[in-house]
Amino acid sequence: MSMIGTRVVRKEDPAYLTVGGTYVDDVDCPGALHAVFVRSVMAHADITAIHTAEAAEMPGVVGVYTAADLELSADPPSMPMLNQQMLRSPLATDRVRYVGEPFAVALAESREAAVDAAELVYADYEPLDAVVSAAEAAGNGNLLFPEAGTNTVFAIPGGGPDGLFDDCEVTVELAFDNPRLTGAPIEPRGALASWDPDAQRLTYWACTQFPHRSRDVLAEFCSLEQHQVHVITPDVGGGFGTKNANYVEDFVVARLTCRLGRPVRWAETRSECMLGLSHARAISYVARLGGTRDGDITAYSVDAVQDSGGYPMIGALLPIFVRMVASGVYDIGKVSVNTNSVTTNTVPVGAYRGAGRPEATLAIERMMDVYAAEIGMDPAELRRRNFVPPESFPFTTPTGSEMDSGEYAKALDAVMEAADYPALRAEQQRRLADGDSKLMGLGWCAYVEISNPMGNGDFGSMEVRPDGSALVLTGSSNHGQGHHTAFAQVASQATGIAFERIEVRHGDTDEVKRGGGTGGSRSLQSGGVAVFEAAEAVVEAAKQAAAEMLEADPADIVLDADAGAFAVAGTPARSLDWAQVATHVNESGGRALLAESDFDPPAATFPFGVQLSVVEVDRDTGGVTPLRHVTCDDAGVIVNPMIVEGQVHGGVASGIAHALGEVFVYDDDGNPLTGNFMDYAIASAAELPSFERIPMETPTDRNPLGVKGIGESGTIGATPAVQNAVIDALSHLGVRHVELPCTPERVWRHLQES
């Protein structure tokens, strides 16, 4: 039986569901000191003094440190494309730029003592006007970094053709927002560091998606060679992009342990996580869409302002991805994208599930519905009319993206049939005719994703042990995606070694030589392919060894993958299993039956999908209830349908939550108003429908497995589908737009005003 396409139950789950995982804060380290950070209560202010003396005298306190005490200096942003004048120190020095920014750290023998000490530390502030609105920041009237002379972090000029809309019979325009959210992983951030003075070596247990990147960055910060830093990533309780980089707290913990020669640990509270973990989305658009009255779209432009938060991070660069897939799944001849990323007095913005692709999709998919309403065409038909046809692939978009494969109309048809779209429209009209208190809305989204958008490669190795079991090492990093299962399936497929006899390990930079980490939906198509290639190389090495043992030509040796045995072609009666071959190799000069691969993909892949949301809107309260969510999401060749369904299900849940309630809000002075789970509306299972998924596979030629990514697709498609459904439910009242999130109050106000 082929392991590719088989619904194998995830092998990592029993431990999580019984004894639980081992996270950074679970790692035992006797004698470790506890760090607690002191954070700004002002969004924008000059620091005139920091008072630490009283806290430093508390029982059990080892010290209270500022940037000056630890000799921390402001450094340029880690990405050269960002404004290099917007400098940041790991602890704020003369100015704070968002509520929650750390400016001191208390270190004590116990966490309780460190918390007590941190509460006694305070700063004298000279308040400055806060800039919370990205639009205000773009005006450069109030500068966060006066020495830079601008609030612009990164910009992409439009560059579209002249006279973009001159030939259009119909042009629609809309200004709207994609609001700020936070990733809110199950496990908040944490760190544990230890310094070995004899070996002159730092060991760092990190809560990260990128252990090797963390090693390299920490080595540079601590003025160490890479081999002097050992990063270990135990279980990671969720990341979704928010744990793809080192945070300032990581640098402070590393500096403390190197300086004091004692282990230091840090674990943030949920409140700290809400104000320290990178936020996401936070982008505003002015979009225009033009074409004919028959529904042929010919021109599209979007001007976007990306709120980057208080300091430049990867979020400021996400408009690059917005530009790459700006036109989505549509064949639009003329496209212009103009973006401006600016600083504001808010938590810095980073990557979160989709990272730029949801932002691009929301813009074009919202505009498709606006256009359909303008010309009186069903939004599904407008989409179908403008899809890039399958025979046009590979297809290069007007913004230069080279898309590999797609069958968009096929996916749309599959969703329409599964949902019985005509019956849903009939039910919608019946409710209107009967004056039903519950309105029905239908919302479409057709999206294209970029998985592994930067084309990053990854490392994989496979070693067959003398007992016939195997060890797979991967440079990718698991934080819930199912690596241990999917990668073992891939290795089993190539070798015939039983799935349950293949162990997958990752996340230790001493054991795994190198690695690209996890992000951008690239794990399987980069790390998994590296494992597959290593497994194939092991098979070839085993054939050489089997040829020696069978006294045959290596070219005549064949592997019976079902039996997991090698034999001479045509004479299967005499065969060797993996244990026999591996034992022979190990006994021949101390070698191991081992192979490695560094897979370097030629380009990104472009999975896609179509999603239909069916919602119910209460006329009296404005409450929105998702009734159904039907999806058809392509991911190339499917290795494990169960894992794919789980990824899509989780992604859809995230997208629905963002559409209906999840938003991070600040007041005009930069004070966070949704800094805990009482106010920040994360959806529970009770608020979500069971989703309906239709399988689809359009293999890619950009890797030997034909696989694409799936981890972000559900989120990309769900938010615009739900928003479009809510607006569709109100469209008979003349409502043409409802801002995200579509909360009961916001919907109710539209009902009252219509």
Side-chain angles (χ1 to χ4, degrees):
M1 180 182 70
S2 173
M3 291 301 296
I4 302 296
T6 301
R7 300 175 65 86
V8 177
V9 175
R10 294 190 355 160
K11 63 164 59 182
E12 53 265 62
D13 289 350
Y16 291 132
L17 296 171
T18 52
V19 298
T22 300
Y23 303 93
V24 169
D25 204 37
D26 296 324
V27 176
D28 187 31
C29 188
L33 299 172
H34 293 259
V36 172
F37 287 86
V38 185
R39 301 178 183 276
S40 172
V41 296
M42 300 288 290
H44 199 195
D46 286 331
I47 298 176
T48 58
I50 300 174
H51 302 276
T52 64
E54 185 179 0
E57 295 174 358
M58 293 279 292
V61 174
V62 173
V64 181
Y65 305 92
T66 65
D69 298 323
L70 295 177
E71 299 177 354
L72 300 171
S73 60
D75 294 317
S78 60
M79 299 176 184
M81 289 183 287
L82 301 178
N83 193 319
Q84 301 295 294
Q85 294 177 292
M86 297 180 175
L87 309 182
R88 181 176 193 179
S89 168
L91 293 175
T93 54
D94 57 342
R95 179 175 288 197
V96 290
R97 292 179 173 86
Y98 64 93
V99 172
E101 181 177 1
F103 63 83
V105 60
L107 201 61
E109 300 287 351
S110 70
R111 177 166 176 80
E112 293 77 11
V115 169
D116 290 342
E119 290 178 348
L120 292 178
V121 178
Y122 65 96
D124 292 337
Y125 298 105
E126 188 67 39
L128 301 168
D129 291 338
V131 183
V132 179
S133 161
E136 179 186 353
N140 291 322
N142 189 357
L143 299 178
L144 272 68
F145 297 86
E147 59 276 18
T150 179
N151 285 323
T152 293
V153 180
F154 175 73
I156 303 175
D162 294 333
L164 202 66
F165 297 93
D166 288 353
D167 299 328
C168 295
E169 294 179 306
V170 178
T171 301
V172 294
E173 182 173 325
L174 185 67
F176 55 108
D177 296 325
N178 193 336
R180 173 182 290 259
L181 56 76
T182 181
I186 292 174
E187 178 199 20
R189 296 173 299 158
L192 172 62
S194 177
W195 175 254
D196 184 339
D198 296 328
Q200 290 290 292
R201 202 156 191 256
L202 173 69
T203 300
Y204 201 92
W205 288 264
C207 182
T208 181
Q209 300 168 215
F210 291 86
H212 292 85
R213 180 190 297 175
S214 294
R215 177 200 62 190
D216 298 348
V217 172
L218 287 171
E220 181 179 1
F221 176 78
C222 296
S223 299
L224 299 171
E225 299 295 327
Q226 285 186 5
H227 71 273
Q228 292 180 276
V229 180
H230 178 199
V231 169
I232 303 170
T233 302
D235 292 318
V236 175
F240 302 111
T242 61
K243 295 177 181 175
N244 75 350
N246 288 98
Y247 286 84
V248 292
E249 293 90 347
D250 293 297
F251 299 123
V252 174
V253 169
R255 176 64 57 87
L256 285 168
T257 198
C258 289
R259 172 165 293 201
L260 300 177
R262 290 187 62 181
V264 176
R265 68 188 318 145
W266 164 65
E268 69 179 354
T269 66
R270 177 59 64 183
S271 295
E272 287 181 293
C273 185
M274 299 293 280
L275 300 179
L277 191 79
S278 61
H279 287 182
R281 309 298 187 246
I283 189 170
S284 301
Y285 321 91
V286 176
R288 298 180 72 195
L289 194 63
T292 71
R293 293 205 171 274
D294 293 332
D296 296 322
I297 306 299
T298 59
Y300 174 56
S301 73
V302 58
D303 294 333
V305 178
Q306 172 69 63
D307 184 343
S308 304
Y311 294 93
M313 285 181 59
I314 191 173
L317 296 177
L318 294 182
I320 292 175
F321 300 150
V322 173
R323 187 178 190 278
M324 288 175 70
V325 289
S327 52
V329 294
Y330 307 111
D331 189 358
I332 304 175
K334 295 183 288 186
V335 175
S336 174
V337 182
N338 181 78
T339 70
N340 185 20
S341 300
V342 297
T343 53
T344 63
N345 293 121
T346 59
V347 172
V349 171
Y352 172 73
R353 206 163 191 170
R357 288 86 91 197
E359 292 86 331
T361 302
L362 183 74
I364 185 64
E365 288 301 296
R366 187 76 276 281
M367 294 308 295
M368 291 297 287
D369 267 34
V370 173
Y371 196 96
E374 179 69 20
I375 65 173
M377 179 178 285
D378 187 278
E381 180 56 32
L382 180 66
R383 286 170 169 81
R384 181 197 309 281
R385 187 181 185 97
N386 290 281
F387 282 150
V388 177
E391 62 270 16
S392 294
F393 288 93
F395 179 80
T396 301
T397 70
T399 55
S401 294
E402 298 180 358
M403 302 198 296
D404 51 351
S405 62
E407 293 191 58
Y408 308 142
K410 182 178 178 180
L412 177 70
D413 291 340
V415 172
M416 292 184 79
E417 181 179 356
D420 195 351
Y421 187 60
L424 289 173
R425 284 296 183 198
E427 169 64 11
Q428 181 184 45
Q429 292 306 310
R430 184 199 65 76
R431 293 191 184 203
L432 286 174
D434 294 349
D436 197 306
S437 65
K438 302 294 177 64
L439 301 168
M440 177 184 280
L442 310 178
W444 288 100
C445 175
Y447 70 89
V448 65
E449 145 83 309
I450 319 172
S451 53
N452 197 12
M454 303 306 293
N456 299 96
D458 217 325
F459 168 81
S461 72
M462 184 172 185
E463 178 182 358
V464 181
R465 297 158 169 153
D467 65 356
S469 66
L471 172 64
V472 166
L473 300 180
T474 174
S476 186
S477 184
N478 177 65
H479 51 281
Q481 295 89 339
H483 286 44
H484 298 84
T485 301
F487 287 18
Q489 286 182 254
V490 167
S492 178
Q493 175 73 22
T495 63
I497 297 175
F499 164 80
E500 58 272 12
R501 303 205 69 202
I502 298 175
E503 179 186 4
V504 177
R505 293 211 298 253
H506 65 91
D508 186 319
T509 61
D510 274 9
E511 181 178 42
V512 182
K513 295 181 178 180
R514 50 198 173 272
T518 294
S521 293
R522 70 168 178 256
S523 293
L524 185 60
Q525 71 180 59
S526 190
V529 171
V531 168
F532 180 72
E533 289 188 339
E536 288 190 315
V538 164
V539 170
E540 292 306 310
K543 287 181 178 180
Q544 294 287 334
E548 295 175 10
M549 299 171 71
L550 296 173
E551 298 180 339
D553 188 331
D556 294 332
I557 300 296
V558 294
L559 169 65
D560 181 347
D562 291 335
F566 296 88
V568 178
T571 57
R574 187 183 175 204
S575 63
L576 301 169
D577 63 24
W578 275 102
Q580 292 171 305
V581 175
T583 298
H584 170 77
V585 171
N586 279 46
E587 292 175 350
S588 302
R591 295 178 295 156
L593 191 50
L594 167 69
E596 300 177 351
S597 172
D598 291 281
F599 177 66
D600 187 15
T605 65
F606 291 79
F608 61 90
V610 173
Q611 299 191 13
L612 174 64
S613 173
V614 184
V615 305
E616 196 171 67
V617 175
D618 190 309
R619 290 181 190 260
D620 299 321
T621 67
V624 179
T625 302
L627 298 179
R628 296 177 67 186
H629 202 93
V630 187
T631 81
C632 182
D633 304 282
D634 160 66
V637 172
I638 304 299
V639 171
N640 188 322
M642 183 178 295
I643 291 177
V644 168
E645 289 170 7
Q647 288 288 337
V648 174
H649 200 168
V652 166
S654 175
I656 292 175
H658 188 42
L660 297 182
E662 195 171 336
V663 59
F664 202 98
V665 180
Y666 287 90
D667 68 14
D668 291 341
D669 295 319
N671 297 307
L673 302 180
T674 52
N676 57 58
F677 284 175
M678 289 295 291
D679 300 312
Y680 186 81
I682 292 179
S684 72
E687 285 85 49
L688 299 169
S690 292
F691 84 113
E692 303 161 53
R693 182 177 179 274
I694 304 158
M696 188 169 191
E697 296 182 71
T698 59
T700 181
D701 61 1
R702 294 179 179 175
N703 63 70
L705 287 176
V707 297
K708 306 176 186 177
I710 194 63
E712 298 165 295
S713 295
T715 301
I716 294 169
T719 301
V722 173
Q723 183 183 26
N724 284 337
V726 172
I727 297 165
D728 181 65
L730 307 180
S731 62
H732 67 287
L733 300 172
V735 175
R736 290 293 176 262
H737 185 68
V738 179
E739 285 286 355
L740 292 175
C742 301
T743 60
E745 179 188 7
R746 188 168 278 166
V747 173
W748 180 82
R749 291 189 182 280
H750 280 283
L751 286 164
Q752 300 307 303
E753 294 168 359
S754 302

